[in-house]
Short mmCIF file of all heavy atoms in Angstrom, two decimals:
data_model
loop_
_atom_site.label_atom_id
_atom_site.label_comp_id
_atom_site.label_asym_id
_atom_site.label_seq_id
_atom_site.Cartn_x
_atom_site.Cartn_y
_atom_site.Cartn_z
N LEU A 530 -1.40 11.05 14.10
CA LEU A 530 -2.75 11.05 14.68
C LEU A 530 -3.66 10.07 13.96
O LEU A 530 -4.49 9.40 14.60
CB LEU A 530 -3.33 12.46 14.62
CG LEU A 530 -2.70 13.50 15.55
CD1 LEU A 530 -3.24 14.89 15.25
CD2 LEU A 530 -2.94 13.13 17.02
N SER A 531 -3.49 9.96 12.64
CA SER A 531 -4.29 9.00 11.88
C SER A 531 -3.96 7.58 12.29
O SER A 531 -4.85 6.73 12.46
CB SER A 531 -4.02 9.17 10.38
OG SER A 531 -4.38 10.44 9.93
N PHE A 532 -2.67 7.32 12.44
CA PHE A 532 -2.23 5.98 12.85
C PHE A 532 -2.80 5.62 14.22
O PHE A 532 -3.41 4.55 14.39
CB PHE A 532 -0.70 5.95 12.89
CG PHE A 532 -0.11 4.60 13.19
CD1 PHE A 532 0.26 3.75 12.16
CD2 PHE A 532 0.08 4.17 14.49
CE1 PHE A 532 0.79 2.50 12.42
CE2 PHE A 532 0.61 2.93 14.77
CZ PHE A 532 0.97 2.09 13.73
N ALA A 533 -2.62 6.53 15.18
CA ALA A 533 -3.11 6.26 16.53
C ALA A 533 -4.63 6.17 16.58
O ALA A 533 -5.20 5.28 17.23
CB ALA A 533 -2.62 7.36 17.48
N GLY A 534 -5.30 7.06 15.86
CA GLY A 534 -6.76 7.06 15.87
C GLY A 534 -7.35 5.82 15.21
O GLY A 534 -8.32 5.24 15.71
N THR A 535 -6.74 5.41 14.09
CA THR A 535 -7.25 4.22 13.40
C THR A 535 -7.00 2.96 14.24
O THR A 535 -7.86 2.08 14.32
CB THR A 535 -6.57 4.07 12.03
OG1 THR A 535 -6.82 5.25 11.27
CG2 THR A 535 -7.12 2.86 11.27
N TYR A 536 -5.84 2.89 14.87
CA TYR A 536 -5.57 1.74 15.73
C TYR A 536 -6.55 1.70 16.90
O TYR A 536 -7.08 0.64 17.27
CB TYR A 536 -4.13 1.81 16.26
CG TYR A 536 -3.73 0.60 17.07
CD1 TYR A 536 -3.36 -0.59 16.43
CD2 TYR A 536 -3.73 0.64 18.46
CE1 TYR A 536 -3.00 -1.70 17.17
CE2 TYR A 536 -3.38 -0.47 19.20
CZ TYR A 536 -3.01 -1.64 18.55
OH TYR A 536 -2.66 -2.75 19.28
N ALA A 537 -6.84 2.88 17.48
CA ALA A 537 -7.80 2.94 18.59
C ALA A 537 -9.20 2.52 18.12
O ALA A 537 -9.93 1.82 18.86
CB ALA A 537 -7.84 4.35 19.17
N LEU A 538 -9.58 2.92 16.92
CA LEU A 538 -10.88 2.49 16.38
C LEU A 538 -10.92 0.97 16.21
O LEU A 538 -11.95 0.34 16.49
CB LEU A 538 -11.13 3.16 15.03
CG LEU A 538 -11.60 4.62 15.06
CD1 LEU A 538 -11.57 5.22 13.66
CD2 LEU A 538 -13.01 4.70 15.64
N GLY A 539 -9.81 0.40 15.78
CA GLY A 539 -9.75 -1.06 15.65
C GLY A 539 -9.99 -1.75 16.98
O GLY A 539 -10.72 -2.75 17.05
N LYS A 540 -9.39 -1.22 18.01
CA LYS A 540 -9.59 -1.81 19.34
C LYS A 540 -11.03 -1.59 19.81
O LYS A 540 -11.63 -2.47 20.44
CB LYS A 540 -8.61 -1.19 20.35
CG LYS A 540 -7.14 -1.35 19.97
CD LYS A 540 -6.72 -2.81 19.86
CE LYS A 540 -6.62 -3.46 21.23
NZ LYS A 540 -6.13 -4.85 21.12
N LEU A 541 -11.58 -0.41 19.49
CA LEU A 541 -12.96 -0.11 19.88
C LEU A 541 -13.93 -1.07 19.21
O LEU A 541 -14.93 -1.50 19.83
CB LEU A 541 -13.29 1.34 19.51
CG LEU A 541 -14.69 1.83 19.85
CD1 LEU A 541 -14.89 1.88 21.36
CD2 LEU A 541 -14.93 3.21 19.25
N PHE A 542 -13.65 -1.43 17.97
CA PHE A 542 -14.51 -2.36 17.23
C PHE A 542 -14.12 -3.82 17.47
O PHE A 542 -14.59 -4.71 16.77
CB PHE A 542 -14.47 -2.03 15.73
CG PHE A 542 -15.37 -0.91 15.33
CD1 PHE A 542 -14.96 0.41 15.49
CD2 PHE A 542 -16.62 -1.16 14.79
CE1 PHE A 542 -15.79 1.46 15.11
CE2 PHE A 542 -17.45 -0.12 14.41
CZ PHE A 542 -17.04 1.20 14.57
N ARG A 543 -13.25 -4.04 18.44
CA ARG A 543 -12.83 -5.38 18.89
C ARG A 543 -12.19 -6.20 17.76
O ARG A 543 -12.39 -7.41 17.67
CB ARG A 543 -14.01 -6.14 19.49
CG ARG A 543 -14.64 -5.44 20.68
CD ARG A 543 -15.59 -6.34 21.46
NE ARG A 543 -16.61 -6.94 20.63
CZ ARG A 543 -17.74 -6.34 20.25
NH1 ARG A 543 -17.96 -5.10 20.62
NH2 ARG A 543 -18.62 -6.96 19.51
N LEU A 544 -11.39 -5.54 16.94
CA LEU A 544 -10.59 -6.26 15.94
C LEU A 544 -9.32 -6.77 16.61
O LEU A 544 -8.88 -6.23 17.63
CB LEU A 544 -10.23 -5.35 14.77
CG LEU A 544 -11.37 -4.70 13.99
CD1 LEU A 544 -10.81 -3.92 12.81
CD2 LEU A 544 -12.37 -5.74 13.51
N SER A 549 -5.74 -4.46 13.41
CA SER A 549 -5.83 -3.01 13.66
C SER A 549 -4.55 -2.31 13.26
O SER A 549 -4.58 -1.22 12.67
CB SER A 549 -6.13 -2.75 15.14
OG SER A 549 -7.35 -3.35 15.53
N LEU A 550 -3.42 -2.92 13.58
CA LEU A 550 -2.12 -2.34 13.26
C LEU A 550 -1.92 -2.22 11.75
O LEU A 550 -1.48 -1.19 11.24
CB LEU A 550 -1.00 -3.17 13.88
CG LEU A 550 0.43 -2.70 13.58
CD1 LEU A 550 0.66 -1.33 14.20
CD2 LEU A 550 1.44 -3.70 14.12
N ALA A 553 -4.23 0.47 10.34
CA ALA A 553 -3.72 1.80 10.71
C ALA A 553 -2.52 2.18 9.85
O ALA A 553 -2.40 3.32 9.41
CB ALA A 553 -3.34 1.82 12.19
N MET A 739 -15.50 -0.06 10.76
CA MET A 739 -14.36 0.60 11.40
C MET A 739 -13.53 1.35 10.38
O MET A 739 -13.09 2.49 10.60
CB MET A 739 -13.52 -0.45 12.12
CG MET A 739 -12.19 0.04 12.64
SD MET A 739 -10.88 -0.34 11.46
CE MET A 739 -9.51 0.54 12.20
N LEU A 746 -12.17 9.97 9.76
CA LEU A 746 -11.22 10.56 10.71
C LEU A 746 -10.02 11.15 9.97
O LEU A 746 -9.64 12.31 10.21
CB LEU A 746 -10.75 9.50 11.70
CG LEU A 746 -9.57 9.90 12.60
CD1 LEU A 746 -9.98 11.01 13.56
CD2 LEU A 746 -9.03 8.69 13.36
#
Side-chain angles (χ1 to χ4, degrees):
L530 290 172
S531 299
F532 185 93
T535 302
Y536 185 79
L538 281 170
K540 302 300 287 184
L541 180 66
F542 278 82
R543 301 193 306 278
L544 301 184
S549 300
L550 178 64
M739 171 264 172
L746 169 67

